[in-house]
C-alpha cells in the first residue's frame, strides 16, 4: 500500500492510495470501520466494492460490530422488483446487510420511478442525519452512481436514462442480453453524493484508468461527473496500479 505523493490531484483534499488489487478492500475497510458501530454508510453496488464488503464481513467474524450500521444505496434500476436477483436491493441485502447482521429496517435502497420517489429518498437521508462515509465506484465514462455524463453538480435523487455504454457494461448481469438491461434508474444525484461527510472511491483495472485520470487531474465538468469529487473536502481514492496507470 502506498500513498501516492507523486500523483497530485487538482484537489488538495483528495488522497490517492495505490495498492494491489487484492488489498483494495482492506484499505477501504479501514475507513468504513471507523463508523461501523452506528454510522450511516452509503453503499455502491457492482464489482468494484465487493472486496470492501468481504473485508468488513471478515472483520465482523473477528469481532467488529456492524449491526448498528444504517445503509443507503446509491441507486436502483427502474422496473425491477426488490426480489429480482439482478436488482440492487437484492445485492445490498445479500452481499452487505445480511452478512453484516444489519436489520432490514436499517437498509434503504432507492425505489420508484418519479420525482416524488427521489424527493422521499432525499428526506430519508436527511432524517438519518446524513451519510458519514459514502462508497463510490467510477464508470468507464466517469459516472458515479448512475449520474451519467451531462449530470451537473446540483442534481439530487432522480430518475435518469442510462447511457448505452453503461447498459452494455452491465449486460453481463443480464445474461449478456442488452435488451434485458433496464433503460432507466433512480439514482442519488451528484449533490446528494457530495453531501456525505467522507467519500471513498474504489477502482481497479485499466478500463477505469482514463476516467479516473480525468476525475482526479482534469477540469471539473459534467462531462465526467466523478470530477465533481474535486469539490469535496474529504475524498480517499483507493485503486490498483492499473487503474492509476494513466496518472503517472
Amino acid at each position: 500500500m502506498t500513498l501516492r505523493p507523486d500523483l497530485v490531484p487538482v484537489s488538495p483534499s483528495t488522497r490517492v492510495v495505490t495498492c494491489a488489487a487484492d488489498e483494495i478492500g482492506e484499505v477501504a475497510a479501514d475507513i468504513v470501520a471507523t463508523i461501523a458501530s452506528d454510522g450511516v454508510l452509503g453503499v455502491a453496488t457492482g464489482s468494484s466494492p465487493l472486496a470492501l464488503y468481504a473485508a468488513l464481513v471478515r472483520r465482523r467474524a473477528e469481532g467488529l460490530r456492524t449491526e448498528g450500521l444504517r445503509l443507503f444505496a446509491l441507486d436502483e434500476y427502474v422496473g425491477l422488483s426488490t426480489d429480482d436477483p439482478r436488482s440492487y436491493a437484492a445485492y445490498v441485502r445479500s452481499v452487505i446487510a445480511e452478512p453484516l447482521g444489519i436489520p432490514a429496517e436499517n437498509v434503504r435502497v432507492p425505489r420508484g420511478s418519479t420525482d416524488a420517489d427521489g424527493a422521499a429518498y432525499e428526506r430519508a437521508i436527511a432524517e438519518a442525519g446524513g451519510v458519514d462515509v459514502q462508497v463510490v465506484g467510477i464508470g468507464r465514462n466517469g459516472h458515479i452512481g448512475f449520474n451519467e455524463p451531462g449530470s451537473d453538480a446540483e442534481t439530487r435523487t432522480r430518475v435518469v436514462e442510462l447511457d448505452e455504454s453503461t447498459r452494455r457494461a452491465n449486460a453481463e448481469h443480464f445474461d449478456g442480453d442488452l435488451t434485458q438491461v433496464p433503460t432507466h434508474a433512480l439514482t442519488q444525484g451528484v449533490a446528494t453524493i457530495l453531501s456525505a461527510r467522507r467519500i471513498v472511491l474504489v477502482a481497479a483495472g485499466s478500463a477505469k484508468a482514463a476516467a479516473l485520470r480525468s476525475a482526479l487531474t482534469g477540469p471539473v465538468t459534467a462531462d465526467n461527473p466523478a470530477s465533481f469529487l474535486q469539490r469535496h473536502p474529504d475524498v480517499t481514492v483507493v485503486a490498483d496500479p492499473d487503474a492509476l496507470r494513466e496518472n503517472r
Side-chain angles (χ1 to χ4, degrees):
M1 180 181 69
T2 305
L3 187 65
R4 284 288 294 274
D6 59 311
L7 195 165
V8 182
V10 172
S11 169
S13 60
T14 299
R15 293 169 296 281
V16 180
V17 180
T18 305
C19 57
D22 61 1
E23 296 177 333
I24 290 175
E26 293 294 341
V27 176
D30 287 341
I31 297 171
V32 175
T34 63
I35 64 157
S37 61
D38 62 356
V40 179
L41 177 63
V43 292
T45 54
S47 59
S48 295
L50 281 173
L52 161 60
Y53 304 139
L56 291 173
V57 172
R58 288 194 296 272
R59 294 183 188 203
R60 180 176 185 247
E62 296 167 356
L64 181 68
R65 300 294 298 273
T66 57
E67 60 271 19
L69 276 171
R70 288 164 289 163
L71 305 180
F72 282 87
L74 276 175
D75 42 38
E76 178 60 286
Y77 290 116
V78 170
L80 293 188
S81 74
T82 58
D83 294 327
D84 190 313
R86 302 166 301 184
S87 72
Y88 291 145
Y91 177 112
V92 172
R93 183 171 59 248
S94 63
V95 174
I96 311 170
E98 291 178 355
L100 292 179
I102 300 169
E105 59 266 26
N106 283 0
V107 179
R108 295 294 297 266
V109 179
R111 186 176 183 188
S113 59
T114 69
D115 290 341
D117 296 319
Y121 201 67
E122 290 283 333
R123 289 194 298 272
I125 293 173
E127 289 166 2
V131 172
D132 294 308
V133 175
Q134 176 65 60
V135 178
V136 297
I138 182 171
R140 297 179 188 186
N141 62 4
H143 73 240
I144 49 174
F146 272 136
N147 294 285
E148 302 283 18
S151 300
D152 66 48
E154 305 307 316
T155 52
R156 290 284 179 177
T157 303
R158 70 208 187 284
V159 176
V160 296
E161 182 174 1
L162 300 179
D163 189 85
E164 183 173 343
S165 66
T166 298
R167 295 179 64 236
R168 289 189 181 280
N170 290 349
E172 62 182 294
H173 305 296
F174 293 83
D175 300 319
D177 185 353
L178 184 63
T179 65
Q180 294 187 41
V181 183
T183 59
H184 291 75
L186 186 65
T187 185
Q188 288 188 34
V190 174
T192 315
I193 293 169
L194 294 181
S195 68
R197 284 177 271 280
R198 189 170 188 182
I199 296 175
V200 179
L201 187 155
V202 291
S206 59
K208 304 297 180 71
L212 186 57
R213 174 194 60 195
S214 177
L216 292 174
T217 63
V220 176
T221 170
D223 291 337
N224 183 333
S227 67
F228 289 116
L229 296 177
Q230 293 179 29
R231 297 179 176 176
H232 193 277
D234 192 342
V235 176
T236 301
V237 175
V238 186
D240 69 356
D242 285 341
L244 291 167
R245 65 180 175 85
E246 295 197 30
N247 291 300
R248 294 175 181 172

